[in-house]
Amino acid sequence: MAWLLFIVQVILVEGLCTYWLYHPAQIPGFLNNTYTYVYRTYLQKNIQFDEEAAEYNAGLFYTLKPNVATCFSNPEFNTRVKANKAGVRDDDQSLLGPSVICIGDSFTFGWGVEQENAFPQLLEKLSGKKVLNAGIPSYGTPREVISLRQFDRSGLTHLLIQYCSNDEDENKSFVQNDFVLNVSSKQEYENITTAHKINRQYFPARNFTLFGLTFFKKLINKVHSFFSVDEPLVTTNTAAVKQFLDIVTNAPVDFSKTRVLVYQLDSRQNINSTFAHIADSLIHTPYYQSIFRNNLKVIDFSRQFTKNDYFILDTHHINAQGHRKVADIIAKELRNF
């Protein structure tokens, strides 16, 4: 009888934990950080490691599969993703002489929002220009810039480059390797996709176990920091911004004819004005002036977002409301630049 009661209690608690996972607005305040950490660390599905949606690429490590049409879901969203023949989240028409190309990571890709609600698609409607969304989740600046080589740039007037603080490791490695990208093997990619699939599978009492253990680890850390159960804040410095700009100088575009907008889109914890402030200072130095010729402009989004512009669990991504803000601001910049 005691065992039966215990099993019933576990089922009830597991049900409550699962309900909160799929209804994050109902999560009690004292559990918010626990849920956010567990979601990001153990539960979040990543489309770049979904064997149905993405594939290995010898030059870029992975891309979306050309012409793939699939569903991509996590607890806070269920979206359709359709790639064109180049393996980016846009239509084939946008590959033909776009005026604007947007490169970036999952923010530019439109993580968690429908295709038509991603800011590059909204920007196309607002500006009247042909815009190509070339964002791929987790790409750093090197892969973003290298990927430009495959696109038609004959009609390019504006290049939009999104920075994120998690680009720093890839950027630093690329610069230190004399601007050569180290691409892991196909076997390594397949190992990651297999591990990703296995680690996201459900097992009995999974949510209760993960949330419970993490919550108690956080409680213990209040006495003494034994466990790593908090996401570290990333501090952007001058070296990181300089690496970013140095990589941008290698973009396959004519900077005397192409105008470049750079900006940071980042997690709710890590977005601030530091990147924009440092970048704006650097581009006015003689070296970068000689390259960009006043055709590079920095946009600061750090004061534009509120917590309502982000998902509740996935504080690393903006929602549809956030994408509308980005599109509106960039559209105004395009009219004046």
Side-chain angles (χ1 to χ4, degrees):
M1 188 67 181
W3 276 105
L4 179 60
L5 181 60
F6 173 76
I7 292 172
V8 170
Q9 289 174 335
V10 169
I11 292 173
L12 291 174
V13 175
E14 174 69 2
L16 182 60
C17 290
T18 304
Y19 173 82
W20 283 335
L21 176 63
Y22 287 90
H23 301 82
Q26 306 299 318
I27 298 172
F30 71 96
L31 288 177
N32 278 336
N33 289 338
T34 297
Y35 264 75
T36 298
Y37 177 81
V38 170
Y39 166 75
R40 287 281 303 168
T41 307
Y42 302 109
L43 304 180
Q44 177 180 284
K45 297 175 184 176
N46 298 305
I47 194 169
Q48 64 269 33
F49 300 128
D50 181 347
E51 59 189 8
E52 298 295 324
E55 64 183 11
Y56 178 75
N57 182 282
L60 299 165
F61 193 42
Y62 55 77
T63 63
L64 295 181
K65 288 182 176 180
N67 301 312
V68 72
T70 188
C71 287
F72 175 48
S73 64
N74 271 304
E76 293 182 274
F77 60 81
N78 184 15
T79 56
R80 291 286 296 172
V81 172
K82 190 176 188 306
N84 56 28
K85 62 184 179 182
V88 293
R89 195 185 186 191
D90 213 324
D91 54 32
D92 286 341
Q93 182 63 32
S94 295
L95 294 169
L96 304 176
S99 300
V100 181
I101 297 179
C102 302
I103 57 175
D105 57 20
S106 52
F107 283 90
T108 301
F109 167 83
W111 183 282
V113 302
E114 293 295 345
Q115 204 133 322
E116 65 271 16
N117 293 328
F119 77 79
Q121 276 74 19
L122 295 174
L123 179 62
E124 184 169 77
K125 295 177 182 178
L126 291 170
S127 67
K129 298 177 181 291
K130 182 182 287 188
V131 178
L132 173 64
N133 180 356
I136 297 288
S138 293
Y139 269 21
T141 313
R143 284 185 287 172
E144 294 162 6
V145 168
I146 291 170
S147 71
L148 279 172
R149 298 170 185 168
Q150 68 179 311
F151 302 125
D152 178 3
R153 304 183 300 281
S154 60
L156 186 65
T157 61
H158 292 82
L159 174 62
L160 276 54
I161 308 176
Q162 174 241 319
Y163 175 80
C164 185
S165 58
N166 62 15
D167 294 346
E168 186 172 340
D169 287 344
E170 182 177 320
N171 292 6
K172 183 177 180 180
S173 174
F174 183 72
V175 171
Q176 291 180 341
N177 198 39
D178 295 323
F179 295 85
V180 175
L181 187 66
N182 284 320
V183 181
S184 298
S185 67
K186 184 176 182 180
Q187 185 61 55
E188 177 66 18
Y189 177 74
E190 291 175 349
N191 290 343
I192 292 173
T193 57
T194 300
H196 181 269
K197 182 178 182 179
I198 292 172
N199 291 340
R200 267 62 182 178
Q201 288 180 344
Y202 184 81
F203 56 84
R206 180 195 68 175
N207 297 329
F208 166 56
T209 301
L210 292 175
F211 291 125
L213 285 175
T214 302
F215 177 73
F216 283 110
K217 286 179 180 179
K218 284 178 174 287
L219 286 180
I220 292 171
N221 277 358
K222 290 182 178 181
V223 178
H224 184 80
S225 184
F226 287 104
F227 306 104
S228 176
V229 287
D230 292 296
E231 294 190 56
L233 292 176
V234 179
T235 302
T236 301
N237 55 34
T238 300
V241 181
K242 188 176 184 304
Q243 287 166 354
F244 167 79
L245 290 174
D246 287 345
I247 296 167
V248 172
T249 64
N250 285 271
V253 299
D254 184 347
F255 291 114
S256 68
K257 299 177 181 179
T258 304
R259 299 188 175 185
V260 182
L261 290 170
V262 302
Y263 44 89
Q264 178 186 18
L265 296 177
D266 218 311
S267 68
R268 187 153 57 93
Q269 297 89 333
N270 287 323
I271 192 166
N272 56 61
S273 61
T274 303
F275 170 83
H277 175 74
I278 296 174
D280 194 56
S281 297
L282 287 174
I283 64 173
H284 290 97
T285 60
Y287 172 70
Y288 292 113
Q289 281 280 302
S290 70
I291 297 172
F292 297 122
R293 308 181 186 185
N294 293 316
N295 277 339
L296 188 147
K297 187 173 184 180
V298 181
I299 305 175
D300 184 1
F301 281 104
S302 64
R303 293 181 176 86
Q304 302 301 323
F305 299 126
T306 70
K307 69 177 183 179
N308 294 327
D309 297 313
Y310 286 84
F311 290 104
I312 298 173
L313 284 178
D314 189 356
T315 58
H316 281 239
H317 292 103
I318 53 176
N319 56 28
Q321 177 176 299
H323 277 268
R324 286 194 296 272
K325 285 188 176 181
V326 173
D328 286 341
I329 291 170
I330 294 179
K332 291 177 183 176
E333 293 290 346
L334 288 183
R335 287 194 287 269
N336 301 314
F337 182 59

